[in-house]
Amino acid sequence: MYSEKVMDHFQNPRNVGEIEDASGVGTVGNARCGDIMRIFLDIDEEGIIRDVKFKTFGCGAAVATSSMATELVKGKTVREAMQVTNKAVMEALDGLPPVKVHCSLLAEEAIHAALWDYAEKNGITIEGLERPVSDIGEQEEEPAY
């Protein structure tokens, strides 16, 4: 059901915690499943993500996608971090079950929300970045049963 990488990132999550005085903090959730994800970014003067941490309340897939997403953006520029999509997170984890794809969407949105917060704090515009939603369930279609 879950890949070895998903299990590894769930059982041994990377970058757990908070960053005091973070450059940007993004919090998103999914009211349908109850998952909540918060990403903290420390971005230097050159726009490089020096450090990233997360706190996630949710299922194993939510923890694993948070962990992988932080690994994918650490050391990257803000522009490169914008390219980290839910698909990239899923591919890096060797896939997710269809019912857990929303966890990768949470990870993408949490990164974007943290980048939005960073941009707002610094009075800058990040090309391609749109105002984040706080509940990704608003974006999902009703499942067909």
Side-chain angles (χ1 to χ4, degrees), residues 7-37:
M7 292 305 296
D8 181 41
H9 277 268
F10 166 62
Q11 293 171 335
N12 307 291
R14 285 66 151 177
N15 307 307
V16 175
E18 295 181 31
I19 297 174
E20 251 185 72
D21 300 319
S23 307
V25 179
T27 303
V28 296
N30 184 326
R32 278 201 197 138
C33 69
D35 293 343
I36 300 170
M37 192 178 292

Side-chain angles (χ1 to χ4, degrees), residues 16-127:
V16 175
E18 295 181 31
I19 297 174
E20 251 185 72
D21 300 319
S23 307
V25 179
T27 303
V28 296
N30 184 326
R32 278 201 197 138
C33 69
D35 293 343
I36 300 170
M37 192 178 292
R38 178 171 288 159
I39 301 263
F40 301 82
L41 299 175
D42 178 20
I43 302 171
D44 70 15
E45 304 77 36
E46 284 84 45
I48 307 287
I49 299 171
R50 284 189 294 217
D51 198 10
V52 56
K53 301 278 186 206
F54 80 91
K55 282 192 156 185
T56 294
F57 178 84
C59 66
V63 172
T65 57
S66 302
S67 175
M68 181 55 81
T70 62
E71 288 288 281
L72 292 174
V73 300
K74 195 173 200 173
K76 301 285 195 300
T77 65
V78 167
R79 183 177 299 276
E80 290 168 330
M82 281 290 300
Q83 306 308 312
V84 175
T85 63
N86 74 300
K87 185 177 178 190
V89 172
M90 285 194 303
E91 286 176 359
L93 288 169
D94 293 335
L96 287 171
V99 297
K100 295 298 181 179
V101 169
H102 70 275
C103 295
S104 64
L105 288 168
L106 267 177
E108 177 183 341
E109 283 299 316
I111 291 166
H112 287 178
L115 289 171
W116 181 271
D117 183 51
Y118 163 73
E120 294 262 294
K121 287 177 178 175
N122 290 281
I124 62 173
T125 300
I126 299 173
E127 187 179 332

